[in-house]
Amino acid sequence: MPAVCAIGVGSALTMPLGSAVLGAVPESRAGVAGGIFSVSREISGLFGIAAIGVIVHEAGSFSQGYALGLLVAAALVLLGALIALLTLP
């Protein structure tokens, strides 16, 4: 359950990140910045799901792989949150 909670918190952090991205570009480029941000978020989600899927598949049993996959996903979300806290103004 803690891993699922960490993933939820990480998902909630995308709203302030989106605001920071749009606030950092001129108003005339806000549409382009929003589009690039959305595409990068979707692509990173795609790669994240694929990577966690490999972990689940290679772990032996589904329950062990699922638990390990959630822990890895939670660790990545926490790492992303730490990077965002240290680098965003």
Side-chain angles (χ1 to χ4, degrees), residues 52-69:
I52 300 303
V54 168
I55 291 171
V56 170
H57 182 326
E58 296 296 323
S61 74
F62 179 76
S63 61
Q64 288 176 340
Y66 193 72
L68 180 60

Side-chain angles (χ1 to χ4, degrees), residues 29-88:
R29 299 285 183 173
V32 174
I36 291 172
F37 177 71
S38 294
V39 167
S40 65
R41 191 179 64 207
E42 293 295 327
I43 289 174
S44 64
L46 172 76
F47 286 127
I49 290 169
I52 300 303
V54 168
I55 291 171
V56 170
H57 182 326
E58 296 296 323
S61 74
F62 179 76
S63 61
Q64 288 176 340
Y66 193 72
L68 180 60
L70 280 176
L71 289 174
V72 170
L76 290 173
V77 166
L78 291 174
L79 177 64
L82 179 63
I83 291 170
L85 287 173
L86 294 175
T87 59
L88 292 175

